[in-house]
Each structure stands twice: as structure tokens, then as C-alpha cells.
Amino acid sequence: MAKEHTTVFFCKECGYETSKWSGFCPSCKTPNSLVEAPKTSSPKTSVSSFSRGTSRPKPVRLSEISTEKQERFPTGSGELDRVLGGGLLPGSLVLTGGDPGIGKSTLLLQVCRNLAAEGHKVLYVSGEESLKQLKLRADRIGPFQGDISFLCETDLEQILNVFQEEKPSAAVIDSIQTMYAPQAASAPGSVTQVRECTNMILNTAKGLGISVFIVGHVTKDGAVAGPKLLEHMVDTVLYFEGDRHAAYRILRSVKNRFGASGEIAVFEMRSNGLKEIPNPSAYMLSGRPENASGSAISCIMEGTRPLLLEVQALLARTNYGQGRRTATGADYNRVALLLAVLEKHLGIAFSDCDAFINVTGGLKVTDPGLDLAMVLALYSSYKNTAVSSDLMIFGEVGLAGEVRSVPFAKERVQEAARLGFTTCVLPKSSLSADLNARGIKLIGVSHIREAVSVLTEI
Ligand code: TYD
Ligand code: MG
């Protein structure tokens, strides 16, 4: 027999659920954050469950399923449309997560403004700010036209009643952690509440064909707070990231049921709202030093988009016994590995040097295509010779010092050619006749030894 009731604890910080209490959360390690989840009185009769009547479910064949194309509507931001997979689908749920103050509310308010100007009926529900605060933000963004209304409410039942009455074509719920479903008797933001609220929004939105943007808070680790289930329930998960002190922001799709995931869009936060940056490569390279040692340009892939960026390396003699290694924007272990490869295969001793690697623009790069540029930037700093500013470098570096191919060579070379680079150092195995036609000089290398000799040749 199944047990009637098991006590469930959840973490106030990250939403982790466990049946065993302990002094700290097993997931995010926050002390004293586990609290008992209230037992819901009748989970079987939640709003999400629906009656099918007496009819039996009937499986269907693929040929019987109609696939009439659903019209997507543009959000007024070409960059956001691309991340969504070509526009917003009616009835889709989009979860937008990000650090506090990164600009989630601003982005969604701008989307609402654009949609209203296009003639859509839009509803912005805020559980975090007053109408006055919303108005102040709206005033910064610019004039609003069309059918857009605002609601400050946290009782989700009331909000969904308004959805039923108003039938907007798009809505924003800012944020899911402030929403409250009366039948799930626990505090707003708790696992039970977040799950139940999302479920209720899902049913109403799908039923009425309303596209809903849900704002989600993130935990210390940067994941959307609440149960992981939240991300499973929605159609699209977007993360808004970037350095709060820098002006640019990156919107990344980590899940997309209706398009490619991993796509990014770049925005700049200005005094009058977010402005999209359609040419991020040029933006990332602006202000780079010309002919400075330790600076190399590479091209990484973010989703299907090639992005040029600058890698800077600095080697300085240490004042302490052991040299420090610091990596900003690149993986620390990867930098340590590349330093070891350089030591071993080029015979350079770095042990008495502090080594700093910085990927400018504040991106956190995981693409191994950046390896070769990091190697050349380190070598250039060590030798105090500049890497030509017309040179773009990409390729993965293996432990034997070999340069290995990475996917999307054509896209990377094309992007470099588009921004006026004249020469590209790339893995020999990536060379192809197709690449030659791009009007850029290609230098294929198979080992880092060959790569560094290129530096002295050109
Ligand atoms: P906000 O959208 O409130 O962030 P979130 O909803 O993710 O918490 O944005 C807050 C920050 O953006 C705040 O620091 C002010 C700044 N901001 C601008 O710089 N320009 C603007 O036009 C607006 C509306 C906000
Ligand atoms: Mg906000």
C-alpha cells in the first residue's frame, strides 16, 4: 500500500525538494533553508485536472493529425523573434529568467508596447510593482499606443478570471514567484505554489490561445527558482544574462519547443530602455587595442550564430613562489590545461608567471573553438609581439598540442570576412574548397607549433 502522507521539505532558496530534513539544502548548500511543504488539501481536484467525461481516449495515427501551420506573430524585436524561433506562437508559454535588475521587466514591457502598437490586445500583470512604478518605467521607454492594460495582482484565480473576460492575445506575468493560488495553501514562491500557478496559467493560456511571458526569479546559481518542473512545463525558456555593470545584455534560449535552442540575442540597456544590437560581432570588437601584445580575435558559436570576440592574455612575473592563474569569461581549467600544453610542447616555463586570460565583452565562453586564440594570445604576451589585427583564429587544442577541427568552420570564416578580417588561422582538417571561396586568406595549422610560427611570419 502506498503511504498516505509523506512529509516533503523544500528549499526556500532554490526550490529543491526532499523527503529528508537536514541542516542545509543538499542542492544549493544554503544552511537552514529547508522548510516543510504544506500538505495540499486535495491535490486530485486541482484546477489542472480536468474531466474527460465518459469517453475513452483514442490513439490516432500520424496521418490523422492535421498540421495546419500556426501563424507566429512578430514581437516587434527582430532579435527576440529569432531567439523565439521566428516569432511568438499563439498559446505558447515563455519563461524568462535572469538576475534581479538585469532588465526582464523592461524587456517584456517593451514587447508589450510593440505588440499593442501592432494591434494586439495585451495585458501586463505585475505582482512586484505598483501601477505607479510601472508607469514610471513605461515613461522611460516611450509613448504607448493601442490596447494595453496593466494589472497589479497576485491572486492567480482573479488574474485568470481577467484573462477569461479580456481574452488578450498576449500577457505577461511578472513574476511567477509572487503569484498565489488560494487552493494550494502555502506561501507564494514555494514549490507547491509555483507548480500549481504555472499549471493554472498553462491550462488557461492553451485554452484561450494567449501567449504568456512568465518572469521567473533565479537562484544564486543562476537557475530559475522553483521546481525544475517549471522549465519542463513551459514551451520556451529564455535566460537574460550579462554583467549588470556593463550595458549589454544577452538573451539566450535554453529550451525551445518550436525552434532551435541555444540562440542568443544581444541588447544594450540605455536610459530609454533596451535597444537590440543586430551586429553583435562589431559591438564586441569595438574599442579593441590595435597591434597590442596578448590580444587575439576568435570566432565562437552561440547557437547558430557566429560571434567574433577578443581574447586578452597577460603574463607577468610573479612576486610569489607560485604563479597565479585567472580566467574571466573562459573556463579556468581550460586555461590551466592550455598553459600546460604550451609548457610541454613549446618549452616555455610559465611557473614563475602570473597568467591572466580575459574574454572581453563579459561573455562566458564554453566553445572549444576559442582554445587556439587563447594559446596565441598567451604566446603573444610571452614574446611581447602583437598578433596582427587582421587575423582571426579558431580551433580546439588537444593535449598533444594538436589543433583539432570544430564545427561551423564556414560560418566562422564568413563572419570574419564580413567584418573585414583578411587572414584566418584555423585547423588544417577544417580546410575545404568551399572555405577558399570566402575571399579571406586561410592558414591551416595542425599543431600549435605551426600556429605560433604564423605569428612571426605575418
Ligand atoms: P528591470 O527591468 O526592472 O529589471 P528586472 O525586472 O530584471 O529586475 O530593470 C532594472 C534596471 O534597468 C534598473 O537598474 C534600471 C535600468 N533601466 C535602464 O537603465 N534604462 C531603462 O530605460 C529602464 C526602464 C531601466
Ligand atoms: Mg522586474
Side-chain angles (χ1 to χ4, degrees):
M1 268 262 305
K3 257 203 264 175
E4 269 288 296
H5 265 312
T6 43
T7 312
V8 177
F9 300 95
F10 74 92
C11 171
K12 286 186 289 186
E13 271 294 323
C14 69
Y16 180 84
E17 277 184 70
T18 173
S19 57
K20 218 172 97 196
W21 190 87
S22 72
F24 63 92
C25 167
S27 171
C28 70
K29 312 278 183 249
T30 314
N32 297 326
S33 65
L34 290 185
V35 291
E36 190 176 333
K39 294 165 186 88
T40 44
S41 46
S42 53
K44 289 269 159 54
T45 55
S46 73
V47 180
S48 54
S49 56
F50 57 93
S51 145
R52 211 184 276 116
T54 49
S55 66
R56 282 172 186 277
K58 187 172 168 285
V60 291
R61 296 179 192 285
L62 275 180
S63 55
E64 294 161 14
I65 305 173
S66 76
T67 53
E68 77 230 50
K69 219 166 166 237
Q70 261 193 306
E71 267 310 303
R72 286 171 185 261
F73 48 90
T75 58
S77 156
E79 289 291 290
L80 177 62
D81 287 349
R82 223 172 39 77
V83 172
L84 290 173
L88 192 60
L89 265 178
S92 64
L93 247 66
V94 182
L95 177 65
T96 314
D99 285 337
I102 200 81
K104 302 179 292 296
S105 307
T106 309
L107 176 75
L108 296 180
L109 189 60
Q110 280 182 248
V111 169
C112 288
R113 176 173 176 254
N114 294 340
L115 289 175
E118 289 289 317
H120 296 285
K121 185 170 186 170
V122 188
L123 179 64
Y124 189 106
V125 184
S126 180
E128 302 203 330
E129 290 160 311
S130 65
L131 287 171
K132 208 164 162 189
Q133 284 170 311
L134 289 174
K135 171 106 173 84
L136 286 175
R137 181 181 289 116
D139 286 346
R140 291 180 77 168
I141 291 171
F144 280 63
Q145 300 159 0
D147 194 351
I148 175 164
S149 37
F150 295 86
L151 180 67
C152 286
E153 181 60 71
T154 52
D155 182 341
L156 196 68
E157 250 176 26
Q158 301 281 1
I159 295 170
L160 295 182
N161 285 341
V162 176
F163 275 24
Q164 298 273 5
E165 276 164 30
E166 300 277 327
K167 297 199 176 49
S169 51
V172 171
I173 303 275
D174 188 0
S175 64
I176 190 72
Q177 278 83 8
T178 54
M179 294 300 147
Y180 166 82
Q183 68 272 25
S186 64
S190 67
V191 176
T192 327
Q193 279 290 356
V194 168
R195 186 190 299 156
E196 187 61 27
C197 289
T198 313
N199 222 337
M200 286 165 70
I201 298 170
L202 185 84
N203 286 330
T204 311
K206 297 275 173 207
L208 298 174
I210 307 171
S211 307
V212 184
F213 286 94
I214 301 174
V215 174
H217 290 173
V218 293
T219 60
K220 278 198 292 239
D221 300 336
V224 174
K228 196 74 185 159
L229 190 74
L230 183 60
E231 292 190 32
H232 288 295
M233 283 158 94
V234 299
D235 301 310
T236 306
V237 180
L238 306 178
Y239 274 97
F240 211 25
E241 49 190 52
D243 189 346
R244 247 204 298 166
H245 306 292
Y248 67 87
R249 307 277 188 266
I250 291 164
L251 187 69
R252 186 189 301 276
S253 75
V254 293
K255 165 184 171 177
N256 195 350
R257 280 191 187 143
F258 313 117
S261 68
E263 287 294 342
I264 64 156
V266 183
F267 294 88
E268 187 183 358
M269 182 62 98
R270 301 216 174 149
S271 58
N272 57 349
L274 287 156
K275 178 159 184 302
E276 57 185 75
I277 299 172
N279 189 358
S281 288
Y283 186 77
M284 293 284 169
L285 294 187
S286 61
R288 74 181 156 121
E290 294 276 321
N291 294 324
S293 70
S295 158
I297 305 298
S298 188
C299 187
I300 58 154
M301 295 301 296
E302 287 285 355
T304 56
R305 164 176 257 180
L307 196 60
L308 289 174
L309 43 78
E310 184 194 351
V311 190
Q312 295 187 331
L314 181 68
L315 289 171
R317 202 154 293 280
T318 179
N319 293 323
Y320 306 99
Q322 185 71 34
R324 270 192 306 153
R325 275 90 183 87
T326 311
T328 313
D331 181 32
Y332 176 85
N333 293 325
R334 199 80 202 159
V335 172
L337 182 149
L338 294 175
L339 283 167
V341 170
L342 271 165
E343 280 207 37
K344 177 87 181 169
H345 296 284
L346 298 183
I348 304 171
F350 289 120
S351 53
D352 59 346
C353 287
D354 287 336
F356 304 95
I357 283 273
N358 179 28
V359 176
T360 60
L363 273 179
K364 287 190 178 48
V365 182
T366 49
D367 184 347
L370 189 70
D371 288 358
L372 193 58
M374 287 202 274
V375 164
L376 290 193
L378 284 165
Y379 185 82
S380 146
S381 177
Y382 179 76
K383 289 281 179 194
N384 216 5
T385 51
V387 181
S388 161
S389 52
D390 295 330
L391 192 66
M392 192 281 275
I393 304 142
F394 71 88
E396 182 179 347
V397 174
L399 292 185
E402 82 278 19
V403 178
R404 311 169 73 105
S405 61
V406 284
F408 300 107
K410 194 173 100 190
E411 284 76 3
R412 296 180 205 243
V413 170
Q414 220 163 4
E415 182 74 354
R418 194 174 70 79
L419 278 133
F421 286 80
T422 54
T423 317
C424 176
V425 176
L426 70 167
K428 201 170 236 162
S429 45
S430 294
L431 285 176
S432 69
D434 190 25
L435 282 186
N436 277 333
R438 307 279 147 193
I440 184 166
K441 185 178 167 204
L442 302 174
I443 305 176
V445 292
S446 51
H447 195 274
I448 56 167
R449 213 173 294 118
E450 290 169 44
V452 297
S453 67
V454 170
L455 280 195
T456 46
E457 280 164 23
I458 56 172

